[in-house]
Amino acid sequence: MSFTLGIVGIGQFGSHFAELFAAHPEIEALYAVDSVPERIDAVEARGVAFARRFDTLEGLLASDVDAVAIFTQRWTHGEHALAALRAGKHVYSAVPMAIEEDEIRAITEEVQRTGLVYMMGETSQYNAAVVLARRIHRTGAFGEVFYAEGDYVHDMDLGFYDAYKYSGGENWKSTASYPPLLYPTHSIGGILGVIGERHATSVSALGRPDTRGDGVFDKDVSMFGNDVSNAFALFGMDNGGAFRTNELRRVGYPSHKRESRFRFFGEESSFEETIETTYWHDKKRVLDVTALIATGSTMSLDDPRLADVSPALRDAFVAGAAQAHHQARLPKEFQGMPNGHEGAHHFLVDDFARAVADGRQPMVNAWQAARCTLPGVIAHQSMNQGGERLEIRDLGSCPLPVQDLDADQEPLDLEALYAAQEAARSAAE
């Protein structure tokens, strides 16, 4: 069943995703919502046709549109998603799902009541390293994963100042202080993108107040009353293990080089990603899997479509597919189109479009989105209470049918990969 989709927020991400939504064979027409009509004009000038335009979300929701894709300010996502669901529309939401526990819970309740599709567009679900680690986990090679780490390391100097100026206008400093732990899904989502059967049960978190003194992370300026730029959280898991995340906004790290990175430690084998090299290893062997997660570019960093994006952020909009990805399941219309976040964008659009068309929930459905988001909300509370360990009230797993578009991907053969590595080493000696 094809459907119509309204894109709410034609900014840097909304305009980029509009091209992909327009190309997907299950989407028959696009509508656009933005208070700045010139942004819609600019996307149409690139060849994306919008069937209808609206100045407000309310106008869109009163129309005949079937689904909405939300690319508004991150603290508004919960409110907008709820409004759309209550208007009978399917929802794709940029991250995070929401910043209040009540809103997160209400979204799951509304999806269960209506059966509508809800998807959070978490890029880490299709981060190349996460995809590979998930495929390894599906072979059973890890055994029980008792500890994992997820980092989102993106320095403010590397593009975030420009991004906040673009979206926040003259009061951008008040929004640029957005609390790191309320944007937790790139780190938590990558961990749960591999061990999706697990969830967080408790958390203790700490935050380091910012020292730059430029008025960004300043409690007197911040609309969130936040002065923390780097935050660290340790979560307990339901299997008795733990995972740790770092959300860093002041860090000497080249964020265009794997701004999200992950490690998994199982009783039988482990997986470790670093800035340049990634390994899978068991108790006897070490396998270099770096080549399997390497992504090429799909467009030039100087492409006119990226003119409004800070040069320091452009890598996130161009990275294409890796060998680990299930490219064969994507629509042929996506070949040669812009991609980003290590090949994630194509898969995110395809997941949502096919979920709506097939009447099944996507992998990052409302309940999985809650497991990626709510722990950060509680971690933020823990941080503000001096690191007190707090319980996380899990909302459970999705009670509705869930699609798995990667179920037919060829199983990963670690033995063959290791044999090929050793043969290459022998030949080189």
Side-chain angles (χ1 to χ4, degrees):
M1 167 190 96
S2 60
F3 63 97
T4 57
L5 174 71
I7 299 179
V8 187
I10 311 296
Q12 292 177 335
F13 271 97
S15 60
H16 173 86
F17 273 85
E19 292 190 52
L20 297 177
F21 282 124
H24 200 283
E26 298 290 0
I27 298 176
E28 63 185 45
L30 288 183
Y31 300 172
V33 179
D34 202 288
S35 59
V36 183
E38 292 79 12
R39 292 180 180 176
I40 303 177
D41 294 339
V43 177
E44 287 198 320
R46 301 205 303 255
V48 176
F50 292 109
R52 297 181 67 181
R53 294 183 178 207
F54 299 88
D55 295 328
T56 65
L57 172 62
E58 291 75 17
L60 173 70
L61 297 183
S63 76
D64 62 352
V65 74
D66 298 312
V68 300
I70 298 167
F71 293 97
T72 54
Q73 296 278 33
R74 58 190 66 179
W75 56 91
T76 67
H77 295 167
E79 172 191 355
H80 292 166
L82 279 171
L85 290 168
R86 288 166 178 164
K89 316 300 183 183
H90 304 288
V91 172
Y92 175 101
S93 174
V95 298
M97 181 183 193
I99 63 172
E100 300 287 345
E101 181 173 0
D102 289 347
E103 285 185 335
I104 293 170
R105 187 178 300 276
I107 290 171
T108 62
E109 291 171 350
E110 200 65 26
V111 173
Q112 185 164 10
R113 183 184 71 82
T114 62
L116 291 165
V117 168
Y118 173 93
M119 175 174 167
M120 184 179 73
E122 176 41 57
T123 56
S124 287
Q125 176 74 10
Y126 283 106
N127 174 291
V130 171
V131 171
L132 180 60
R134 181 164 65 242
R135 293 179 66 188
I136 293 172
H137 188 43
R138 287 182 171 184
T139 71
F142 286 138
E144 185 72 13
V145 176
F146 58 86
Y147 179 70
E149 297 178 351
D151 299 331
Y152 181 50
V153 283
H154 196 137
D155 190 89
M156 287 289 294
D157 291 330
L158 300 182
F160 271 172
Y161 279 92
D162 290 337
Y164 279 111
K165 289 175 183 178
Y166 177 88
S167 63
E170 61 183 29
N171 294 320
W172 68 272
K173 285 188 177 182
S174 70
T175 65
S177 58
Y178 189 86
L181 289 171
L182 294 184
Y183 196 72
T185 63
H186 290 334
S187 51
I188 298 176
I191 292 171
L192 298 188
V194 175
I195 52 172
E197 73 279 12
R198 302 268 69 94
H199 65 267
T201 58
S202 65
V203 62
S204 175
L206 299 173
R208 182 177 184 270
D210 195 60
T211 58
R212 177 69 67 86
D214 62 359
V216 172
F217 291 99
D218 183 328
K219 283 187 176 182
D220 295 331
V221 176
S222 170
M223 66 177 287
F224 312 99
N226 176 58
D227 65 353
V228 169
S229 53
N230 290 332
F232 332 97
L234 179 64
F235 299 90
M237 282 197 295
D238 60 315
N239 67 347
F243 64 85
R244 188 269 303 145
T245 65
N246 287 322
E247 292 288 338
L248 309 182
R249 306 297 180 264
R250 299 289 193 198
V251 54
Y253 183 90
S255 61
H256 63 283
K257 294 276 192 179
R258 298 179 183 170
E259 66 182 11
S260 300
R261 60 183 188 179
F262 305 94
R263 303 169 78 198
F264 300 89
F265 292 87
E267 293 178 344
E268 301 302 326
S269 70
S270 302
F271 180 98
E272 297 188 77
E273 182 183 19
T274 67
I275 189 170
E276 295 288 356
T277 310
T278 300
Y279 297 102
W280 169 80
H281 45 83
D282 60 14
K283 300 175 184 181
K284 298 179 180 179
R285 303 169 294 180
V286 176
L287 174 64
D288 187 334
V289 296
T290 307
L292 297 180
I293 64 172
T295 56
S297 295
T298 55
M299 59 196 289
S300 167
L301 293 175
D302 297 322
D303 191 290
R305 288 170 290 187
L306 300 177
D308 291 330
V309 179
S310 168
L313 286 175
R314 291 180 185 177
D315 284 275
F317 288 82
V318 305
Q323 292 183 49
H325 284 129
H326 189 10
Q327 285 295 109
R329 67 97 147 169
L330 292 173
K332 65 181 186 303
E333 289 84 355
F334 281 4
Q335 292 181 9
M337 291 199 69
N339 206 334
H341 281 95
E342 301 196 43
H345 295 183
H346 287 186
F347 291 98
L348 293 173
V349 170
D350 190 47
D351 272 9
F352 179 69
R354 291 171 64 177
V356 173
D358 297 342
R360 298 170 69 86
Q361 297 296 317
M363 292 298 290
V364 189
N365 52 69
W367 287 266
Q368 191 66 4
R371 285 179 165 176
C372 296
T373 309
L374 181 56
V377 173
I378 306 303
H380 181 68
Q381 296 172 11
S382 170
M383 181 194 76
N384 287 333
Q385 296 174 36
E388 179 181 353
R389 179 155 295 278
L390 300 178
E391 177 188 2
I392 298 169
R393 294 176 290 277
D394 182 61
L395 304 185
S397 57
C398 182
L400 304 173
V402 178
Q403 67 181 6
D404 182 358
L405 298 179
D406 295 321
D408 64 345
Q409 189 174 15
E410 182 178 345
L412 193 67
D413 190 337
L414 291 167
E415 296 297 334
L417 289 171
Y418 183 75
Q421 173 183 275
E422 295 309 294
R425 284 178 177 171
S426 296
E429 291 176 352

